[in-house]
Amino acid sequence: MAGEQRQGGSAERPPYNAVCDGGDLDCGSGLLLIIRRAIAPLSPGQILEVQSREPSVSVDLPAWCRMTGHTLVGQWPQEGGYTYYHVRKGVERELPTSVEQDLEAAEQYVWRVRVQYRPKAPARVYGRNLEWQVGQPASFAEEVEAPSAVDYLVSAVAGAVLMGFSQVAAERHLLIDDMELVGSARLENILTHLGVDTEGVPRISSLEGVLYVSSPATRAALDEVWQMTLKRSPLVQTLMPVVTMRLRWMMV
């Protein structure tokens, strides 16, 4: 297969029968599901163009093609960090699972972590191939040994919005030069959490965030990206009904 691959500019790109845009997704975070859904209707021998900005795809996609009986026939770097890959659908070898099974697996996926207690030290969390520390449930000290649970929640929402915006923009081929998000949270009554006050609850009363975006795209196009980002964010959609959220974006 390696001898069949071709590289070149967009002018040398041969015809293809279908296209899918993977944006910044890598093969382990949903790209293969998108590819399999796009290639399923094609006949053996037809070409699917996979558009991606994720560098690791150049390594992982050939391996996936070898395992499934498809053939990577070429790749063409483009402007904006994209590379276009042409995958010829295989003739005989069947995929290990169907697209329907992949979709069902995605819908039934459960995120699991294991948290380990350590005396006089932050808790240690193990999730998938990663591990990290969690400090106090909530802390208002300026310097801490490990992020508090509230810090993680604020950073999770901020990261989800920023990375989600990047993903949606990539799907629409909109170039993003730079982004930064500043987020914050307030508790309704932290004294309840500290045990000083017996009235009220220590829930998060508000989450705020401003995403600063530098891009040559139009404001209207980026605003559509912003609205779609919020709509597709699991964290935003979960918290929005119960927490006052003030999220906005600005072009810089």
Coordinates of all heavy atoms in Angstrom, one line a residue, residues 7-8 20 26 58 62 67 73 80 105 112 114-115 164-165 188 192 199-200 203 220 226 238 244 251:
Q7 N 1.6 12.2 -2.9 CA 1.5 13.5 -2.2 C 1.6 14.6 -3.2 O 2.3 14.4 -4.2 CB 2.5 13.6 -1.1 CG 2.4 12.6 0.0 CD 3.4 12.8 1.1 OE1 4.1 13.8 1.1 NE2 3.4 12.0 2.1
G8 N 0.9 15.7 -2.9 CA 1.1 16.8 -3.9 C 0.1 17.9 -3.5 O -0.6 17.9 -2.5
C20 N -15.6 13.7 3.8 CA -16.0 13.9 5.2 C -14.9 14.8 5.8 O -13.7 14.7 5.5 CB -16.2 12.6 6.0 SG -14.7 11.7 6.3
D26 N -9.1 13.4 16.4 CA -8.1 12.4 16.0 C -8.9 11.0 15.9 O -10.1 11.0 16.2 CB -7.0 12.3 17.0 CG -7.4 12.0 18.5 OD1 -8.4 11.3 18.6 OD2 -6.8 12.6 19.4
S58 N -2.2 11.2 10.0 CA -1.3 10.7 9.0 C -0.6 9.4 9.4 O -0.2 8.6 8.5 CB -0.2 11.7 8.7 OG 0.6 11.9 9.9
P62 N -3.5 5.3 8.0 CA -3.0 4.1 7.2 C -3.1 2.8 8.0 O -3.5 1.8 7.4 CB -1.5 4.5 7.0 CG -1.4 6.0 7.1 CD -2.5 6.3 8.1
M67 N -6.1 -2.5 8.6 CA -6.9 -3.4 9.4 C -8.3 -3.7 8.8 O -8.9 -4.8 9.0 CB -7.1 -2.9 10.8 CG -5.8 -2.9 11.6 SD -6.1 -2.5 13.4 CE -6.7 -0.8 13.2
V73 N -4.7 5.9 -0.7 CA -4.1 6.0 -2.0 C -3.3 7.4 -2.1 O -2.5 7.5 -3.1 CB -5.1 5.9 -3.2 CG1 -5.7 4.5 -3.2 CG2 -6.1 7.0 -3.1
G80 N -4.1 26.3 5.7 CA -4.9 26.3 6.9 C -4.7 25.1 7.8 O -5.4 24.8 8.7
A105 N -22.3 2.1 20.3 CA -21.2 2.1 21.3 C -21.0 3.5 21.8 O -20.7 3.7 23.0 CB -20.0 1.5 20.7
R112 N -15.7 6.8 33.2 CA -15.4 6.2 34.5 C -14.1 6.8 35.0 O -13.1 6.9 34.3 CB -15.3 4.7 34.5 CG -16.7 4.0 34.2 CD -16.5 2.5 34.3 NE -17.8 1.9 34.1 CZ -18.4 1.5 33.0 NH1 -17.7 1.7 31.9 NH2 -19.5 0.9 33.0
R114 N -11.5 6.5 38.8 CA -11.3 6.0 40.2 C -10.5 7.0 41.0 O -9.5 7.5 40.5 CB -10.5 4.7 40.0 CG -10.2 4.0 41.4 CD -9.6 2.6 41.1 NE -8.4 2.6 40.3 CZ -7.2 2.7 40.8 NH1 -7.0 2.9 42.1 NH2 -6.1 2.7 40.0
V115 N -11.0 7.3 42.2 CA -10.4 8.3 43.0 C -9.8 7.7 44.3 O -10.6 7.0 45.0 CB -11.4 9.4 43.4 CG1 -10.7 10.6 44.1 CG2 -12.1 10.0 42.1
G164 N -14.5 23.2 21.9 CA -15.7 23.0 21.0 C -15.8 24.0 19.9 O -16.1 23.7 18.8
F165 N -15.4 25.3 20.2 CA -15.4 26.4 19.2 C -14.4 26.0 18.1 O -14.7 26.2 16.9 CB -15.1 27.7 19.9 CG -15.3 28.9 19.0 CD1 -16.5 29.6 19.1 CD2 -14.4 29.3 18.1 CE1 -16.7 30.7 18.3 CE2 -14.6 30.4 17.3 CZ -15.8 31.1 17.4
E188 N -22.9 30.3 46.0 CA -24.0 31.0 46.7 C -23.7 31.3 48.1 O -24.0 32.4 48.7 CB -25.3 30.2 46.6 CG -26.5 30.9 47.1 CD -27.8 30.1 46.8 OE1 -28.0 29.8 45.6 OE2 -28.5 29.8 47.7
T192 N -21.4 27.9 54.2 CA -22.1 26.7 54.5 C -21.2 25.5 54.3 O -21.1 24.5 55.0 CB -23.4 26.5 53.6 OG1 -24.2 27.7 53.7 CG2 -24.2 25.3 54.0
E199 N -27.2 28.1 57.3 CA -28.3 28.5 56.4 C -27.8 28.5 54.9 O -26.6 28.7 54.7 CB -28.8 29.9 56.8 CG -29.3 30.0 58.2 CD -30.6 29.1 58.4 OE1 -31.3 28.9 57.4 OE2 -30.8 28.6 59.5
G200 N -28.7 28.3 54.0 CA -28.3 28.4 52.6 C -27.6 27.1 52.1 O -27.4 26.1 52.9
R203 N -24.0 25.9 46.7 CA -24.0 25.6 45.2 C -23.4 26.7 44.4 O -23.3 27.9 44.9 CB -25.4 25.3 44.7 CG -26.3 26.5 44.9 CD -27.7 26.1 44.3 NE -28.7 27.2 44.7 CZ -29.9 26.9 45.3 NH1 -30.2 25.6 45.5 NH2 -30.7 27.9 45.6
A220 N -20.3 37.3 11.5 CA -21.5 36.5 11.4 C -21.2 35.0 11.4 O -21.9 34.2 12.0 CB -22.3 36.9 10.1
W226 N -20.3 30.0 17.4 CA -20.5 30.1 18.8 C -21.8 29.5 19.3 O -21.9 28.7 20.2 CB -20.5 31.6 19.2 CG -20.8 31.9 20.6 CD1 -22.0 32.5 21.1 CD2 -20.0 31.7 21.8 NE1 -22.0 32.6 22.5 CE2 -20.8 32.1 22.9 CE3 -18.7 31.2 22.0 CZ2 -20.3 32.0 24.2 CZ3 -18.3 31.1 23.3 CH2 -19.0 31.5 24.4
T238 N -25.8 20.7 30.2 CA -26.2 20.1 31.5 C -26.4 21.2 32.6 O -27.3 21.1 33.4 CB -25.1 19.1 31.9 OG1 -25.0 18.0 31.0 CG2 -25.4 18.5 33.3
T244 N -26.8 29.9 36.6 CA -26.8 31.1 35.8 C -25.5 31.2 35.0 O -24.4 31.3 35.6 CB -27.0 32.4 36.7 OG1 -28.2 32.3 37.4 CG2 -27.0 33.6 35.8
M251 N -14.5 39.3 19.3 CA -13.5 39.2 18.2 C -12.4 40.3 18.6 O -12.7 41.4 18.9 CB -14.1 39.5 16.9 CG -13.1 39.5 15.7 SD -13.9 39.8 14.1 CE -14.6 38.2 13.8

